[in-house]
Amino acid sequence: MKFIPDATQGPSITGYGPDWVEVNGEKHHSSIIVSSQGICRPWVCTRFEDLTDAHFQELAALAPELVLFGSGDKIRFPHPQWVSPLYSARIGVETMDTQAACRTYNFLSGEGRKVVAALLI
């Protein structure tokens, strides 16, 4: 599916497929972090089973209002211990499949929200 990006300051997710996400026209075939504050970088985690609390501490360090966790092709909720650094910092967390996280990221980013999408590919 292709998107028409909103006028935002940060990167826009411009498309996605079963094994990729496109950010500002560049395809990524591995997990990534995308932030409305201008970040687009690899997220060093290839599978849900490889996640640890350190992955979520990395997201908390970005200090967003909200983290959208795209858990892959189906919804899988992170262990409560993993997301505790986010909750401790009063950062919201929403879990959804990666494609839904892509759509939601663009919407919230377009509203000017300080949002991070952590996307498992």
Side-chain angles (χ1 to χ4, degrees), residues 28-101:
H28 299 266
H29 294 277
S30 59
S31 300
I32 60 170
I33 296 171
V34 184
S35 166
S36 61
Q37 302 301 301
I39 295 169
C40 180
R41 69 176 187 225
W43 196 29
V44 185
C45 185
T46 56
R47 304 175 316 138
F48 182 87
E49 294 78 14
D50 297 332
L51 286 169
T52 68
D53 59 338
H55 290 100
F56 292 89
Q57 288 172 2
E58 177 183 1
L59 302 174
L62 299 174
E65 295 173 43
L66 177 66
V67 169
L68 301 171
F69 171 54
S71 60
D73 61 352
K74 61 183 176 180
I75 298 174
R76 298 175 73 178
F77 292 92
H79 190 281
Q81 179 183 348
W82 300 343
V83 293
S84 65
L86 295 162
Y87 293 145
S88 295
R90 302 184 54 84
I91 298 169
V93 180
E94 292 291 334
T95 299
M96 53 196 73
D97 66 61
T98 295
Q99 293 184 0

